[in-house]
Amino acid sequence: QREFVSAGAAAGLAAAFGAPIGGVLFSLEEASSYWSRKVMWRSFVCAAAATIVLALCMERGNAGMLFFGGVRPVQPRDYLHQLPFFVFAAAAAGVCGVVFNQLSHVLAAHVRPRNAGIRSRLVECAVVSVTTVALRFFAAQRFGSCVDASPAWEADDFGVRFLCPVGKVNDVATAFFSSPNKAIGWMLSMGEHAWGEPYGFTPAGLGACCGFYLVMMIAAYGTAVPGGIFMPSIFLGACGGGALGLCFRELLPESWDIQPGLYALIGATAMLGGVFRSSISLVVIMVEGTGGITFVFCIIVAVVVSNAVSSWLQKHGVYHMDLHRNDNVAYLSGEPPRKLALLTAKDLMASPVSCVAETERRSRALTLLTETSHNGFPVVDPRGRLVGMCLRSQLSVLIHGDKHAAPGSHPGVRRALDTYMRVAHLRRRPMPRPLLPRRYPPATALSAAALAEYDREMSRRERETSGRDGGKNQSPGEDRVGLLLNDAFAAVHGEGRGRAHDDEEPSEEDRYDRYDRHMRPLR
């Protein structure tokens, strides 16, 4: 199931943007809890197949939803002049992503009911839909401007008139009522025009689109509608970046040749970075999806700045925040909380510290187990320096192993105890405490007969439990571990489970050779 999730995420991104490599990287960064060469290969095959099928289905043979044209390659002088403005646009889009994450989280946690019924969810969808349509018409009527359409986009049926005279288009209505992928492509294509030639958009119009679309995006996210936020994030970032680019073009000298479409690209990329907190995959997705390999420097600047700003303001992206809010998922972040940055081990540990010496008395170890609830104890040398760590389960095995765990015991017995310690915390059913029934003296604590009796008792209890719950709580892996342990100890003591034995007592070397053979599956 995890492999299907990883492959599906990669294929979906590849089909949407024509970016098979970017889809695989996004699956690695965001959608996969486990990764291996096999998962990577399968995800890549699925992503490549999705890209090829989509390209065959498209009329022009182009894969992906984004188109990008009319913007000249960035020159070295552009880096010198416009780098501060690139950084400002990326930071603004990153802040916008943080605002979306935080407000959507507040809306889902305090306003939207968690266990709402079907009717409530349907009513919510209806209310959000009506509100969204009303806001689009209000924004187009109140903030839209009638501008001349760009002659370069006449073949693509650019523009929506909406209350404008013939020959004019409403810039806000064009962004809101056109196909989203076309609107994004038009904003990304605001490139090198003659000075004064119209782009079909105004700074005020794109700014209004950015503000209203942010509100609509927050309200719609989390409703019972099968839709994502990848394309909405690109649209929102392109609106904001395009508005800043048009402002810079009007304010800065003509010789700088500001291209608003480049700022729209930076805003779209930075918005994705602020919402999802992805890095390398976003660079590859935007380069593959737009075909703008010459703008890779601007895309990298957008990803780095947006991730830095958004991480400083808010630690997690939208997906991780959803996991934290879901009570049915036990999610542990890969990084510790920020509150732990100023703490030391002294602030977290109990005082005084309960330590275990390298050679400890049995009574002292029993006292630690009975009087404390710690899961681990630091092991110190005679001078009080830390030399290791001993888990509670390991210490319990050593105690109940009795003289077999004492210094000078046979190496094979110590290896047997080490095996017990390695698997004691992996079994759901409790290990025997002591390791064997109490009626067996400590001298025979590791006998195969006692282990076999314990195994039969636990098997009987499991059969009773499985008979009551239909076998739902059975774990086959536990039985395998138990059988391997019993067989290994039987080999050490020259006994077998259901096998005939010779009258001759096996030698010590024969015993531990058998033990090593039985323990290989557990190592």
Side-chain angles (χ1 to χ4, degrees):
Q1 292 179 351
R2 292 186 300 182
E3 292 180 6
F4 274 105
V5 171
S6 301
L13 266 295
F17 299 98
I21 306 300
V24 174
L25 292 177
F26 186 83
S27 176
L28 169 63
E29 286 188 350
E30 295 293 336
S32 300
S33 58
Y34 169 76
W35 195 257
S36 66
R37 180 174 296 181
K38 181 180 71 172
V39 176
M40 178 183 65
W41 173 247
R42 292 180 176 180
S43 300
F44 176 70
V45 170
C46 291
T51 305
I52 294 173
V53 171
L54 181 66
L56 294 176
C57 295
M58 300 291 286
E59 295 180 0
R60 301 179 182 178
N62 297 326
M65 296 183 181
L66 303 179
F67 64 89
F68 188 53
V71 181
R72 63 169 175 79
V74 182
Q75 304 297 327
R77 64 182 181 88
D78 295 326
Y79 298 143
L80 180 62
H81 292 164
Q82 301 184 42
L83 183 59
F85 303 104
F86 291 164
V87 173
F88 178 79
V95 172
C96 188
V98 172
V99 171
F100 166 76
N101 289 351
Q102 189 62 37
L103 292 182
S104 61
H105 175 73
V106 172
L107 180 65
H110 302 289
V111 179
R112 182 176 291 121
R114 287 191 177 185
N115 300 319
I118 296 178
R119 293 183 179 179
S120 300
R121 300 304 301 272
L122 293 178
V123 170
E124 180 189 20
C125 291
V127 171
V128 171
S129 300
V130 173
T131 305
T132 298
V133 173
L135 286 177
R136 286 174 184 261
F137 278 98
F138 174 77
Q141 181 180 8
R142 180 68 177 83
F143 299 96
S145 301
C146 295
V147 297
D148 295 326
S150 174
W153 297 337
E154 290 181 356
D156 291 332
D157 297 328
F158 172 81
V160 176
R161 285 181 54 189
F162 190 72
L163 305 179
C164 290
V166 178
K168 300 283 187 177
V169 295
N170 188 309
D171 57 346
V172 176
T174 300
F176 276 162
F177 298 138
S178 300
S179 174
N181 56 324
K182 281 190 175 183
I184 293 173
W186 290 330
M187 286 185 281
L188 296 181
S189 300
M190 294 187 295
E192 189 179 22
H193 289 175
W195 196 258
E197 184 177 347
Y199 286 109
F201 297 103
T202 61
L206 287 184
C209 289
C210 181
F212 279 96
Y213 199 82
L214 176 62
V215 175
M216 292 185 288
M217 190 173 166
I218 293 171
Y221 180 66
T223 57
V225 176
I229 56 173
F230 220 97
M231 289 298 290
S233 299
I234 294 178
F235 182 90
L236 180 61
C239 288
L244 289 176
L246 291 172
C247 290
F248 294 152
R249 185 177 176 84
E250 293 182 358
L251 297 175
L252 297 176
E254 181 180 351
S255 59
W256 285 32
D257 194 14
I258 301 295
Q259 302 183 97
L262 185 58
Y263 287 88
L265 176 64
I266 292 174
T269 307
M271 184 68 188
L272 289 175
V275 172
F276 297 101
R277 307 297 164 82
S278 301
S279 54
I280 301 175
S281 63
L282 289 185
V283 176
V284 179
I285 287 173
M286 297 305 292
V287 169
E288 287 184 307
T290 61
I293 186 64
T294 56
F295 307 102
V296 64
F297 172 78
C298 301
I299 294 174
I300 291 175
V301 169
V303 170
V304 171
V305 173
S306 64
N307 272 272
V309 171
S310 56
S311 297
W312 180 66
L313 296 175
Q314 187 183 60
K315 184 174 181 180
H316 298 294
V318 62
Y319 291 153
H320 292 174
M321 293 179 69
D322 288 344
L323 288 175
H324 280 296
R325 194 171 61 249
N326 191 345
D327 296 333
N328 297 324
V329 178
Y331 175 73
L332 182 63
S333 176
E335 299 179 0
R338 291 181 177 178
K339 297 179 180 179
L340 299 181
L342 301 178
L343 301 180
T344 62
K346 178 183 177 181
D347 301 317
L348 302 178
M349 296 183 66
S351 180
V353 181
S354 300
C355 301
V356 177
E358 289 181 292
T359 303
E360 188 62 86
R361 297 179 60 87
R362 185 172 183 271
S363 58
R364 162 70 176 162
L366 279 172
T367 302
L368 289 176
L369 292 179
T370 55
E371 296 183 358
T372 66
S373 58
H374 306 310
N375 187 50
F377 302 92
V379 181
V380 296
D381 62 8
R383 289 181 290 181
R385 295 185 303 181
L386 180 68
V387 295
M389 193 76 176
C390 183
L391 297 179
R392 189 179 190 88
S393 58
Q394 295 173 337
L395 193 60
S396 178
V397 169
L398 289 175
I399 289 174
H400 297 303
D402 202 66
K403 69 175 185 179
H404 299 286
S409 59
H410 196 282
V413 176
R414 292 203 301 271
R415 288 199 299 270
L417 286 172
D418 179 70
T419 302
Y420 244 132
M421 288 188 289
R422 290 176 185 272
V423 301
H425 65 287
L426 298 177
R427 306 180 73 193
R428 293 184 180 179
R429 71 184 188 188
M431 297 292 286
R433 295 192 179 184
L435 290 178
L436 305 168
R438 296 183 180 276
R439 60 178 175 275
Y440 287 89
T444 61
L446 295 179
S447 68
L451 282 170
E453 179 177 336
Y454 171 75
D455 185 72
R456 286 193 296 270
E457 176 66 19
M458 295 305 297
S459 298
R460 182 185 65 80
R461 295 181 184 178
E462 282 188 358
R463 286 194 298 271
E464 294 177 355
T465 304
S466 61
R468 290 193 298 267
D469 58 12
K472 296 180 180 179
N473 296 326
Q474 270 191 318
S475 179
E478 298 175 7
D479 293 338
R480 180 174 177 271
V481 171
L483 291 175
L484 286 171
L485 282 171
N486 290 342
D487 287 341
F489 284 117
V492 171
H493 290 274
E495 303 174 16
R497 293 172 58 86
R499 297 192 301 266
H501 301 279
D502 299 329
D503 294 335
E504 182 180 356
E505 181 72 17
S507 64
E508 290 293 314
E509 294 183 0
D510 292 337
R511 289 183 179 181
Y512 296 114
D513 285 341
R514 295 180 191 175
Y515 167 81
D516 287 332
R517 288 197 301 272
H518 284 287
M519 284 295 100
R520 286 186 191 122
L522 289 177
R523 289 177 181 155

